[in-house]
Amino acid sequence: TRCLSDWSSDVCSSDPRVRPLVVVLDVTAAALGVVEGVTRPAAQVALNRAYEAGVGAWLVVLGGMRNRVVEVQSRRDLVQVWTSRGEALGDARDGLELARRTRESMGSEEGIILVLSHAWFGWDESLPEIAGLRGLFVRYPGTRVNPKLSCEAWETVDAERPGALWDKLGELLA
């Protein structure tokens, strides 16, 4: 059994079937620092897993002047996980709609949309309900807030003590 136990490409889940994946990575100012210390490695591992399985992997970069989609066609495309930055607040609603349209363009209803952000993601916006949406949310140090975003499944981790991050990510990708 291969396991999602470190930053490598070795991954596992309770379901050995890997599904197409759209990762919404928040790179706005609110998600930098301790939050990105969790979300960026999680995005790298999740996207690499889908890429290696050949099922399709897309990154929606949330932030900057506009949200954008990167199709992972080679490992070089994963550089975007580490280099994308956004100074604008970001539009969570637009990012989620972009992810939904990207999943629809795959032609597979089994694709997963995984949001990687802080627990306050979209707090002040009216967000769409999207079937199959999952989220991994990082709590800022000293907070215990749960996310507002309506997800099929979600997990939270503390920024300073992410604990069972890989187990939680594996559950969300299963």
Side-chain angles (χ1 to χ4, degrees):
T1 300
R2 298 173 59 185
C3 290
L4 183 69
S5 58
D6 57 28
W7 302 53
S8 72
S9 62
D10 291 337
V11 293
C12 68
S13 69
S14 58
D15 182 355
R17 185 177 53 123
V18 180
R19 299 191 286 178
L21 178 66
V22 178
V23 169
V24 178
L25 179 63
D26 186 349
V27 299
T28 62
L32 300 181
V34 295
V35 173
E36 72 180 327
V38 176
T39 59
R40 290 180 191 268
Q44 173 79 29
V45 169
L47 288 165
N48 193 55
R49 173 184 188 254
Y51 167 75
E52 282 191 348
V55 296
W58 289 264
L59 171 66
V60 173
V61 179
L62 175 66
M65 296 304 289
R66 63 181 179 86
N67 301 324
R68 67 182 191 284
V69 177
V70 177
E71 182 176 0
V72 180
Q73 297 178 323
S74 77
R75 283 197 175 84
R76 284 186 290 248
D77 295 323
L78 294 173
V79 168
Q80 294 297 315
V81 167
W82 299 98
T83 59
S84 297
R85 294 276 186 262
E87 295 176 8
L89 292 176
D91 185 336
R93 180 178 191 74
D94 179 62
L96 291 171
E97 288 293 341
L98 184 56
R100 182 189 54 75
R101 289 190 308 272
T102 300
R103 181 179 62 191
E104 286 176 0
S105 73
M106 291 182 212
S108 169
E109 294 185 20
E110 292 187 358
I112 295 172
I113 297 174
L114 177 66
V115 175
L116 300 170
S117 186
H118 53 84
W120 297 96
F121 178 82
W123 197 264
D124 61 346
E125 296 182 53
S126 173
L127 300 176
E129 289 197 23
I130 299 175
L133 184 65
R134 298 165 186 206
L136 179 69
F137 301 98
V138 181
R139 292 179 175 149
Y140 295 115
T143 65
R144 303 304 300 162
V145 66
N146 285 330
K148 171 192 173 188
L149 184 62
S150 176
C151 295
E152 172 184 280
W154 58 270
E155 295 283 349
T156 59
V157 295
D158 293 325
E160 294 178 323
R161 295 182 307 276
L165 169 62
W166 304 121
D167 292 336
K168 291 178 179 186
L169 183 59
E171 288 296 319
L172 291 169
L173 294 174

